[in-house]
Structures are given as structure tokens and as C-alpha cells.
Amino acid sequence: MPAPERIPTGSVTSLDLLANGELAVRGQVREASNAVLFCSVSYEGAEASCVYKPVSGERPLWDFPDGTLAQREVAAYEVSEALGWHLVPPTVLRDGPYGRGMVQLWIEADPAASLLALVDEEKPADGWKAVGLAQVGEGRTALLVHADDTRLRRLAVLDAVINNGDRKGGHLLPAPDGTLYAIDHGVTFNVDDKLRTLLWGWAGEPLPAEALEALESLSGALADGAALVTRLGELLTPAEVDAVRARVAALRASGTHPSPSGQWPAIPWPPV
């Protein structure tokens, strides 16, 4: 489905392009549970592919009564940027052909990259972390593993901060240049613990030094009156912003990756 690939250069940034460019709908991602439109966007000679998710195409969620999926997607981008890891593609909230919605730079994933696997072993091989056993049909089970990868470990920290309730394998986009991007952050920022993810391989392990440094910086960016707090206040409820602060403080105090709560399934379904 990708078409234009003249990614912005010079004075036009990705955010400029997404926020101010002319959107043209090229197709629809039909397997998505909400409206996801594939678009091209052009502005001052720059052009790129992007995803447009209009609020009008969102299905209501009983456990997320406030805000919109689009707002939470943009909030996830803002927090990712504040951590300094740039894990979420450039994302903006703007008007489009079907009303206000989220617009995000399209990322073409490298099909050869391998971050998740099912193996017929009791323990993961070197360079992999175990998630748990999975049913693979005909009464067989296999061990679900993910790569012991610094990029994924950063993402596990981001997910803990934003309380991601839906980290699936299909949301991981390793680009050909080695950059890892993560998408689909509409089910995030709940005030209740909703963390569901495939990235449990580091559960209970000490956070690496770079994560603690990033969390310290994020904590400062969440101080009253800070620019990030002002921005999040436009996208989330005051209680949700306070919950972000609380999760960051808890991570710093424990110094460890979170573990499943045991109160509900820890892995999203379907996992991919």
C-alpha cells in the first residue's frame, strides 16, 4: 500500500508535514478494529505516507470513558519523546477529511527482522527472553520468546509508564535502518493498572542505568507547569496525568521492570 516516500528534508520537519500538509486518503487498513486510513501528505514540496485515524471512526470503550484513542496516541508520542528514545513515529492531532483525528508517519517495517518467536524448547536460547507458553494447535504448546534487545527493553519501560493495555507483536515495526518503532497506543494512560504486553521477559529484573536516567529526566518534565504537563493536560484528564507521575515514581523507587499483577491476563489477545 505505501506510495509517496519523499520524506521531509531541509526546513520541513516530519511534524510540520503531518500537521500542516494536505491529506489525501489512498486506502483503508481493513483488519483494524477502528477506522485506520492510509494517506499521503504533502507540504511545501515534501511528501510522505501516513496513517490517519479519525475520532469519528473510533468504537467506544467502557473502561476508557474519557478522551479519545487519537488523543492517547498523541500523548504516547509526547512521552516517548520526553524519554529521549523516539520509539513512537511522529504523531499529531489535527483535522482531516473525516474530522479531527490522529495522523502518524507511516513506517515500512523490515520483514526480515525477527523480534518474536515460538520455539519447541523449555528455555530460551542465548539472546532471547521467555514470555510464557502458548497454544499452537492440536494440543501442542510452544515457548513464546522475544529478543533480548535494548530497543525492546526501552519499549517495555515506555509501556510501563503509559500503562499500555495492548502491546502486540504486530505493533512492533523494526525499520530497515535498525530503528525500532512502536504503534497503536490508543489503549493507554488508564488510571487503573492495565499493562498487557508481550514484553514480559525482563519482569522483576533491575532497570538498566539508561532507563533510570531517562525516568529521572521524565520525572522533571512532569513537574507542575512544565511544557510536557501542559501538553498532556490537553490530551488526558488530570487524574491520568497524575497516574503517569505515580507510575514514573514507582518505577524509580522499585528500580525494576514491573511484573504481571495476576489479576487479569497479562498478555493481549490475539498476541499478534
Side-chain angles (χ1 to χ4, degrees):
M1 189 158 38
E5 277 304 324
R6 296 210 315 267
I7 302 300
T9 58
S11 61
V12 179
T13 68
S14 295
L15 290 178
D16 288 336
L17 177 63
L18 295 172
N20 303 308
E22 181 179 354
L23 282 175
V25 177
R26 304 299 185 190
Q28 182 175 4
V29 180
R30 297 197 174 275
E31 59 267 25
S33 55
N34 297 281
V36 179
L37 302 176
F38 176 76
C39 300
S40 63
V41 59
S42 56
Y43 179 65
E44 295 187 354
E47 189 173 17
S49 300
C50 63
V51 171
Y52 165 47
K53 298 182 181 180
V55 172
S56 60
E58 296 180 5
R59 296 181 182 180
L61 297 173
W62 67 267
D63 52 345
F64 285 83
D66 301 308
T68 64
L69 301 179
Q71 287 171 281
R72 291 188 286 273
E73 293 248 33
V74 177
Y77 167 74
E78 298 288 353
V79 173
S80 171
E81 291 298 289
L83 281 167
W85 290 333
H86 314 297
L87 291 164
V88 180
T91 311
V92 303
L93 192 66
R94 58 163 289 180
D95 291 331
Y98 298 100
R100 199 149 184 82
M102 180 278 280
V103 177
Q104 185 176 79
L105 194 67
W106 177 272
I107 302 298
E108 194 66 28
D110 179 1
S114 179
L115 297 173
L116 297 165
L118 287 167
V119 297
D120 292 319
E121 306 290 344
E122 294 184 359
K123 294 182 179 180
D126 290 344
W128 294 85
K129 304 290 286 187
V131 179
L133 294 174
Q135 296 289 332
V136 293
E138 299 180 357
R140 290 181 57 246
T141 60
L143 183 64
L144 176 62
V145 298
H146 65 67
D148 188 2
D149 186 298
T150 297
R151 301 168 301 169
L152 286 182
R153 193 163 192 173
R154 290 172 177 172
L155 184 57
V157 174
L158 172 64
D159 283 343
V161 169
I162 66 176
N163 196 17
N164 193 349
D166 195 34
R167 174 60 70 213
K168 297 177 180 177
H171 301 167
L172 307 176
L173 301 180
D177 67 358
T179 304
L180 175 68
Y181 293 98
I183 60 170
D184 285 352
H185 296 102
V187 188
T188 50
F189 294 103
N190 203 296
V191 296
D192 298 322
D193 182 5
K194 297 280 187 180
L195 187 59
R196 289 189 291 270
T197 175
L198 291 180
L199 304 180
W200 287 116
W202 298 283
E205 293 187 13
L207 290 165
E210 71 154 5
L212 293 172
E213 292 172 3
L215 289 169
E216 180 181 4
S217 177
L218 179 59
S219 180
L222 290 169
D224 288 340
L228 177 62
V229 172
T230 300
R231 181 59 175 142
L232 292 180
E234 298 168 350
L235 302 165
L236 307 172
T237 67
E240 288 168 337
V241 176
D242 286 342
V244 175
R245 290 192 181 105
R247 288 191 293 271
V248 171
L251 286 166
R252 295 181 66 199
S254 71
T256 61
H257 286 274
S259 297
S261 68
Q263 298 177 355
W264 48 76
I267 296 176
W269 186 262
V272 294

